[in-house]
Amino acid sequence: MRLPAFDTRFLNTWLLKRALSLPAAVLRFVSGGGVVHVAGRTLDPQIQCLWRALYSQASGRTGLSLTAKSLETARQEWQEAAALFGLPSDIRVRFESIGGEGAAAGTIPRGLLIRPARVSEDAPLLVFFHQGGGVLGGPDLSRAFAVRLAHQARCPVFLPEYRLAPVYRFPAALDDARAAFDWAQANAARLGAPSGRVAIGGILTGAGLALRVSLDLRRDFKPSPVAQLLVTPLADLSDTHSPANAALGLWPLSSADIDLLIGHYAGGGASLTDPRLSPALEPLLVGQPRTFVVSAGLDPLADQAETLVQRLIAARVPTVYRRYDTLPLGFDLFAAVVDAAAEATDDIADTWVELLRSGQGEPEAEPEAETDSATAVA
């Protein structure tokens, strides 16, 4: 069923949240019955219901997928989905538009600042590059995730805009990301961080931008972010997906969708092994800030996230890794409507705060590795 073109997003959001509160057995029944089980991991029933009952169309096309449709149609679907899923109903934050008309041209980046009701005195400003693969849309795609993260971590979050492919191919997004971080670092207190400290992060290609900016700051002998948060990072665009990994790519983003995003973002003729485009291939990762890497269980990019974690640990970078086994790549889009996505976001925020505070007033410790039934930590 396609999302409605008319503006009923508030009513639809309420109805959707009520429907998803039904028992898991009912949700699986209305989505065709059975469970989605791949490589020993079972897809969350609420996401299975969204996928099979709401976004699987009679024509055989799948909502939010990029395959078999125009880029403009895919963009519209992602924007409509972000509006439909809404924001967490139990959280109050303040939104502030940054830049735009009236700002000095080229000096203030455009973006969305999210200020939680309570900000910890030691909290840094988090400059966070949004979902969408550098192609699908702007900060609205990450609003729900960023609202929950800002509230739970008690830190302001700045979602900068950056130019999108294919009209503006790489390195346009990287240039915008660096400019946004430099400006935010110079204005951290004004943007709501009493500590004046700044961290960096992003989702998918946005995580790759964050990693690249961190690497470039160290190369340029500039102050580094205090930490970086890399959520389902697409940081090695040359990574070839094995059949086993490709099977993990379900919905809303499959392996085929990732390949299409890479084609738009990099453009023809680009070397995907260039560390500027694929920062996970940077020869030296020594000196990177404390890093938190997140992947999903049903995520064709999880292997490259884990490879990055191993390289960071080998470079003696304090690193934490979490994998959420019932969630798919793109789970952040559902942070306001899917219980498991909301719980994962809260856990990401709590772990992020622990990582930040572990680096204050004490020497760098060698990272330790441990695992449990739900997560892996390095």
Side-chain angles (χ1 to χ4, degrees):
M1 180 174 67
R2 286 182 63 83
L3 294 173
F6 49 86
D7 187 6
T8 58
R9 61 185 182 274
F10 297 111
L11 175 62
N12 285 338
T13 300
W14 184 84
L15 287 174
L16 180 62
K17 290 180 179 180
R18 293 283 292 178
L20 291 176
S21 68
L22 293 169
V26 176
L27 294 175
R28 289 194 167 109
F29 175 78
V30 300
S31 58
V35 300
V36 177
H37 192 74
V38 181
R41 299 163 197 166
T42 301
L43 181 66
D44 176 81
Q46 290 180 321
I47 296 178
Q48 179 180 338
C49 183
L50 285 172
W51 175 23
R52 296 282 177 81
L54 186 62
Y55 282 93
S56 292
Q57 303 166 2
S59 64
R61 294 184 178 182
T62 302
L64 301 184
S65 173
L66 278 71
T67 58
K69 67 185 67 164
S70 70
L71 179 56
E72 287 308 312
T73 298
R75 282 175 170 169
Q76 182 179 355
E77 289 178 353
W78 276 75
Q79 293 295 334
E80 289 177 344
L84 174 64
F85 299 156
L87 299 176
S89 57
D90 57 340
I91 292 175
R92 296 292 177 265
V93 298
R94 182 156 62 92
F95 296 105
E96 182 180 334
S97 295
I98 302 296
E101 294 183 9
T107 61
I108 301 179
R110 294 174 61 97
L112 180 68
L113 178 65
I114 301 171
R115 297 178 185 259
R118 298 178 63 185
V119 176
S120 299
E121 290 186 2
D122 60 348
L125 169 70
L126 175 59
V127 180
F128 196 78
F129 302 112
H130 58 76
Q131 170 67 277
V135 173
L136 290 172
D140 281 352
L141 298 185
S142 289
R143 271 212 312 172
F145 179 84
V147 162
R148 193 158 204 105
L149 184 69
H151 170 78
Q152 189 71 12
R154 296 184 181 180
C155 73
V157 177
F158 177 41
L159 298 172
E161 294 183 12
Y162 51 88
R163 286 171 289 175
L164 300 178
V167 174
Y168 300 101
R169 299 191 191 274
F170 186 87
L174 177 60
D175 293 340
D176 292 350
R178 175 63 185 271
F181 181 83
D182 287 347
W183 179 83
Q185 194 169 52
N187 293 274
R190 169 184 165 189
L191 294 173
S195 67
R197 302 190 306 158
V198 182
I200 198 168
I203 298 175
L204 203 64
T205 307
L209 291 174
L211 178 58
R212 185 67 258 169
V213 169
S214 290
L215 290 162
D216 288 349
L217 287 166
R218 178 170 174 80
R219 178 201 65 196
D220 298 340
F221 301 100
K222 301 290 186 181
S224 294
V226 295
Q228 53 188 347
L229 171 58
L230 310 179
V231 180
T232 58
L234 177 55
D236 179 3
L237 279 64
S238 69
D239 181 44
T240 55
H241 310 297
S242 70
N245 288 343
L248 293 173
L250 300 175
W251 179 84
L253 289 169
S254 68
S255 293
D257 294 327
I258 294 299
D259 289 340
L260 288 170
L261 288 174
I262 290 172
H264 288 305
Y265 182 72
S271 172
L272 300 184
T273 58
D274 182 347
R276 277 178 53 79
L277 191 56
S278 295
L281 300 181
E282 182 71 25
L284 294 176
L285 297 178
V286 174
Q288 282 298 286
R290 293 172 178 269
T291 302
F292 181 14
V293 180
V294 174
S295 71
L298 297 156
D299 178 356
L301 302 178
D303 275 2
Q304 70 166 263
E306 291 169 10
T307 298
L308 175 60
V309 166
Q310 292 166 2
R311 291 198 61 217
L312 287 165
I313 292 173
R316 302 183 65 81
V317 175
T319 302
V320 178
Y321 175 62
R322 290 281 193 275
R323 189 184 72 202
Y324 299 94
D325 277 355
T326 66
L327 296 177
L329 180 64
F331 73 85
D332 52 282
L333 187 65
F334 311 124
V337 293
V338 169
D339 293 340
E343 291 164 5
T345 306
D346 288 348
D347 184 66
I348 289 167
D350 292 343
T351 306
W352 174 242
V353 171
E354 290 175 9
L355 179 69
L356 290 167
R357 290 179 174 167
S358 71
Q360 296 182 30
E362 61 184 51
E364 294 287 307
E366 185 172 355
E368 298 179 357
E370 55 184 68
T371 59
D372 60 36
S373 59
T375 60
V377 184

